[in-house]
Amino acid sequence: FFFVPKLRVIKSGRIMGAVHGVYLKYVGLSAISFAGLQLVIGNIGPMDPLPISSERVLLATSSDSGSSIMSLLRLGAASVLGYSTLLNGTIAALFKLRRGMSLIGKDRERGTIPLWSYVLFFPFHIPTYAYTYIHTTHGTMKPHSKDAADGKPKQNAPKVPVPVASEVQPGWWVGGCYAYQLGKKWAGIVDLTVEFPEKCRPDALRYLCLPTWDGVPCSPEQ
């Protein structure tokens, strides 16, 4: 949430779209990673079973240089896919349990994500950033009409790009991790994201970080 020092109405005619998928995105990532793992190690698909033990891999490397490189590449890919299966499955479970929101290591004072988090949790960060970038740059939505009695979008209205932030009340904005593109100075920011750095932080007089998974509300005490 963002609020600006002066209450001004900007008639953009667009309201920010909802983030879809929530924990199911990570369930899907875990399932896709598991399927890829089974393919790489040869349990399914056309490839021969991969020699998993280190002794068999070393024997393969000493006998045939061509097959040894392929075995090592497959072993590396299997390791990444296996890790992605466990990591994204665990994060999906944490979404449902409403736990582990400090796992990613976000700095609650500066709103930054540490380098170790990107390195350690790369199977989580890379698809998350990729999905959000594609949704922001290529996503479209039907605009909501403020004049409509029921508040629903008009059926025949042409779709418009998804804005990086929406003014929901005069001077009050709801936005995502690309809201810094507006170039505004903010009186205050309430940051509810776990996985994204807050790039508007340098332009805010006040900053409150309450990291929560998508769909998990803050507690009344917070």
Side-chain angles (χ1 to χ4, degrees):
F1 296 90
F2 310 87
F3 50 99
V4 293
K6 296 181 180 179
L7 300 183
R8 296 184 300 161
V9 177
I10 299 177
K11 297 181 180 179
S12 61
R14 296 182 293 177
I15 300 296
M16 183 182 176
V19 177
H20 301 285
V22 194
Y23 82 99
L24 291 177
K25 290 187 295 186
Y26 302 103
V27 173
L29 280 171
S30 180
I32 292 171
S33 298
F34 181 75
L37 173 63
Q38 298 304 306
L39 179 64
V40 169
I41 64 177
N43 285 349
I44 60 174
M47 288 187 284
D48 295 329
L50 179 68
I52 300 299
S53 67
S54 59
E55 292 82 2
R56 295 181 64 184
V57 172
L58 290 174
L59 286 175
T61 57
S62 62
S63 61
D64 187 347
S65 59
S67 64
S68 68
I69 295 175
M70 183 58 66
S71 295
L72 291 174
L73 288 175
R74 289 176 61 189
L75 185 61
S79 300
V80 171
L81 290 168
Y83 179 49
S84 179
T85 300
L86 293 174
L87 176 62
N88 286 298
T90 299
I91 288 175
L94 291 175
F95 266 68
K96 296 298 290 180
L97 294 172
R98 300 187 175 189
R99 296 288 185 272
M101 286 168 277
S102 62
L103 176 68
I104 305 301
K106 186 168 184 175
D107 188 317
R108 298 183 63 171
E109 294 294 328
R110 298 180 296 172
T112 56
I113 304 295
L115 178 61
W116 63 260
S117 178
Y118 289 116
V119 174
L120 182 60
F121 301 131
F122 71 93
F124 165 77
H125 284 295
I126 291 176
T128 297
Y129 274 78
Y131 170 85
T132 304
Y133 175 79
I134 293 171
H135 176 72
T136 302
T137 57
H138 300 289
T140 58
M141 55 175 281
K142 288 186 177 181
H144 290 256
S145 174
K146 295 182 180 180
D147 297 329
D150 55 5
K152 295 181 180 180
K154 296 179 180 179
Q155 296 298 323
N156 298 326
K159 289 186 176 182
V160 297
V162 177
V164 296
S166 301
E167 191 175 31
V168 293
Q169 291 291 333
W172 292 82
W173 295 70
V174 176
C177 63
Y178 289 96
Y180 70 93
Q181 295 178 356
L182 296 176
K184 291 182 174 292
K185 298 293 184 181
W186 305 101
I189 294 175
V190 180
D191 181 3
L192 302 178
T193 64
V194 171
E195 67 275 45
F196 296 113
E198 182 49 76
K199 294 185 179 181
C200 292
R201 177 67 180 92
D203 298 318
L205 297 178
R206 296 178 181 85
Y207 176 72
L208 175 63
C209 182
L210 301 173
T212 55
W213 300 120
D214 290 352
V216 179
C218 299
S219 66
E221 293 77 13
Q222 292 175 311

